[in-house]
Each structure stands twice: as C-alpha cells, then as structure tokens.
Amino acid sequence: VSTQSTWVSRLPAPAAVRISARSTLVLEGDVTLESLELDGALVIRAAPGAKVIVKDLCVKNKGWLLEPVDGRHKEEVARMRGFRLVRLETRVEDVRVPGQHVVSD
C-alpha cells in the first residue's frame, strides 16, 4: 500500500532521481531514493530491520521488455494480457542484514 506521505519520505529529492521511460524499478521494504539514474531494470530488497539508502547510483542495463504474444502462445496469462515479460538484465540489491546500508557506485 502506497500513500503520498510514504512516497515523500522515500523520495526526499525527486529532482535527483531520473528514471527512463523504458526502465523497471522494484522496491521492497524500507528503501529511500536520494539520488538515482536508472536506464534498465533495478530491484532493491530490504529485509525487515534493514534500511537501504540509494545514493549516487547509476544503473544502465538491458532491462525488461514487454514482448507481444498471439493467441497461440503456450502461457494462458500471457495470451490474456497479449504480452509476456522478458527479463533481459537486472541489477539486484538484496539486503538481508539489519541496519542501515548505502547502495552507490
């Protein structure tokens, strides 16, 4: 569940965060974006008790694509959606240790 106050606290400087139109960003847990340049796919997971701060991070990779499918595709869900998600390249930051952690270049 996201609220405006949640986003404000997780994005203290919106002008310092740039995400291209083709990008995918997945945030799980207590993650704050201070400064980020994303062109591709980035997944950040913070376990309970962990706080992740993203600072001066630049991620450029192939990312994820939406690939069109037709009515003959083997996956029923993909046929209903008309596309399937193809994960070409993803940077994953999976923080499992409690405490504060900074992810940067």
Side-chain angles (χ1 to χ4, degrees):
V1 175
S2 293
T3 64
Q4 184 175 0
S5 62
T6 301
W7 276 108
V8 167
S9 67
R10 304 222 176 194
L11 197 62
V17 176
R18 288 178 277 156
I19 301 171
S20 73
R22 69 175 202 88
S23 293
T24 302
L25 176 62
V26 178
L27 304 176
E28 296 178 10
D30 189 355
V31 180
T32 300
L33 302 177
E34 286 189 3
S35 51
L36 168 68
E37 183 176 336
L38 176 60
D39 185 29
L42 173 63
V43 175
I44 302 175
R45 296 184 192 104
K51 177 176 178 56
V52 177
I53 298 170
V54 176
K55 187 173 186 173
D56 300 326
L57 181 63
C58 181
V59 175
K60 293 184 182 191
N61 58 38
K62 293 179 183 176
W64 299 358
L65 298 176
L66 299 179
E67 182 178 84
V69 300
D70 61 24
R72 298 176 304 232
H73 195 273
K74 65 181 179 179
E75 298 172 22
E76 182 179 5
V77 172
R79 283 195 313 267
M80 291 186 325
R81 289 183 180 146
F83 67 89
R84 72 184 189 103
L85 183 62
V86 180
R87 293 180 173 120
L88 298 175
E89 189 177 8
T90 308
R91 176 165 175 177
V92 177
E93 297 290 338
D94 198 1
V95 179
R96 296 287 164 204
V97 178
Q100 185 168 305
H101 305 270
V102 175
V103 174
S104 63
D105 283 334

